[in-house]
Amino acid sequence: MCIRDRYFTYGTDQQTRNDVWGIAQSLYSGTHAAYVVGSCIFDYTYNLRGLDHTTDHYHDVRSQIHSRCAKRILTLSEKNRGIYLKAGQYIGNLERIMPKEYTDVLKVLQDSGPSLPFEEARVVIDHDLGRPVEEVFESFDPKAIAAASLAQVHVAKLKTGEKVAVKIQFPFLRTQTRSDFEVIKGLLHVCNYLLLWYNFKDID
């Protein structure tokens, strides 16, 4: 039995349980994200305070902090998945903007992500189509051919014989993504305020 099923009645629609679980997961993810952001802010403000930014020592310490914070974001992205994984991938692509330590660590997120078991993913299709997969497709390969931050792709054949690729959004993301966006937006506001307060003009 999946752990989330223990907290809902069996009479509840599976996708509805996924939606509620997505909100709960978003609260946990938000707490984890707040901890990571707080840790990074403390790391920069505490360890760089008082150092002369024109010295090699300053740049060595700053590089070490960049690496530590990038690894924290990597762990956060992989654990929370969804929009956090998408954000980590985006940061990893900003080679002309972000410090090299960040892009070097986060570029691993560009690889294909892990897929969900088909029995969990098919809930989305059954719910959206309003009927079982078997009634819509002649065949449906349960093994995903690709997976990313928000969805995975399966090969299927329609009743007409046409071969198609079916992209399935991860079941919790319908509600979790909206909540995660609000959390991330709030954290960005906090970071912006703290950067203005601390004045990071010497950390560039």
Side-chain angles (χ1 to χ4, degrees), residues 50-174:
L51 298 183
D52 183 353
H53 71 277
T54 63
T55 64
D56 290 339
H57 177 61
Y58 172 91
H59 290 282
D60 289 341
V61 172
R62 188 185 64 176
S63 178
Q64 294 170 16
I65 297 173
H66 285 338
S67 295
R68 287 197 298 268
C69 290
K71 290 174 183 177
R72 292 182 188 124
I73 294 174
L74 175 62
T75 301
L76 175 70
S77 299
E78 292 177 329
K79 189 171 184 178
N80 287 4
R81 299 192 62 178
I83 197 67
Y84 290 95
L85 183 55
K86 181 66 70 177
Q89 291 173 337
Y90 177 72
I91 295 173
N93 275 327
L94 299 178
E95 295 183 350
R96 296 185 179 181
I97 300 176
M98 295 299 296
K100 186 175 183 298
E101 293 85 351
Y102 278 87
T103 55
D104 284 349
V105 170
L106 295 174
K107 65 184 179 182
V108 299
L109 296 176
Q110 305 306 319
D111 298 333
S112 179
S115 61
L116 286 179
F118 178 62
E119 288 307 312
E120 292 186 34
R122 70 167 291 166
V123 171
V124 177
I125 304 179
D126 291 349
H127 180 271
D128 290 350
L129 295 178
R131 47 184 171 160
V133 170
E134 293 78 11
E135 294 184 11
V136 180
F137 299 95
E138 182 68 29
S139 63
F140 199 105
D141 190 345
K143 184 177 181 180
I145 60 172
S149 55
L150 304 177
Q152 61 192 50
V153 180
H154 294 258
V155 174
K157 182 185 292 186
L158 299 174
K159 296 289 186 180
T160 59
E162 182 181 2
K163 191 175 182 180
V164 296
V166 181
K167 189 174 183 178
I168 309 175
Q169 183 186 56
F170 295 133
F172 310 128
L173 296 184
R174 191 167 68 168

Side-chain angles (χ1 to χ4, degrees), residues 6-22:
R6 301 176 186 174
Y7 299 95
F8 304 104
T9 62
Y10 285 98
T12 305
D13 174 74
Q14 180 64 50
Q15 184 57 51
T16 300
R17 295 203 294 270
N18 287 334
D19 289 344
V20 175
W21 183 257

